Amino acid sequence: MTKTIIKGVKLRLYPNAQQKKQLWQMFGNDRKVWNLMLDMAKHRYQNNPGSHFVNEYGMNYLLKRLKQEYPYLKASDST
């Protein structure tokens, strides 16, 4: 019988005030994009249950449009 060893690393960050602000902005943007994409997927499925799910490439393409519509999303990373 082989034993599996799982190792991990714990890390604690101590961001300054500006970094905290940037992190909260990024998390808020991620949540906004997630909710928008989820809403789009739900509406697409309701309108056409046989349609295929949008893959990562398609979502990244949609993200470009969302960044045009919501300029504050440009403060986050590209994907």
Side-chain angles (χ1 to χ4, degrees):
M1 182 174 191
T2 306
K3 291 186 177 183
T4 304
I5 299 173
I6 299 174
K7 295 182 180 182
V9 176
K10 289 187 178 184
L11 178 69
R12 179 159 173 119
L13 301 176
Y14 297 97
N16 61 31
Q18 181 185 358
Q19 291 168 333
K20 284 181 186 179
K21 183 179 175 184
Q22 289 174 330
L23 286 170
W24 281 113
Q25 177 71 41
M26 185 181 67
F27 294 146
N29 290 351
D30 291 347
R31 187 172 44 250
K32 174 75 171 180
V33 169
W34 171 264
N35 289 332
L36 287 169
M37 295 282 188
L38 181 62
D39 190 50
M40 284 187 228
K42 285 181 177 181
H43 279 81
R44 181 179 173 145
Y45 181 76
Q46 287 174 352
N47 293 334
N48 185 4
S51 65
H52 295 291
F53 185 74
V54 179
N55 61 11
E56 182 181 354
Y57 179 76
M59 287 186 184
N60 284 338
Y61 181 75
L62 290 172
L63 184 57
K64 292 177 187 177
R65 300 287 183 199
L66 288 175
K67 285 185 177 185
Q68 291 173 350
E69 189 174 343
Y70 302 99
Y72 62 87
L73 292 177
K74 293 179 182 179
S76 291
D77 56 358
S78 61
T79 56

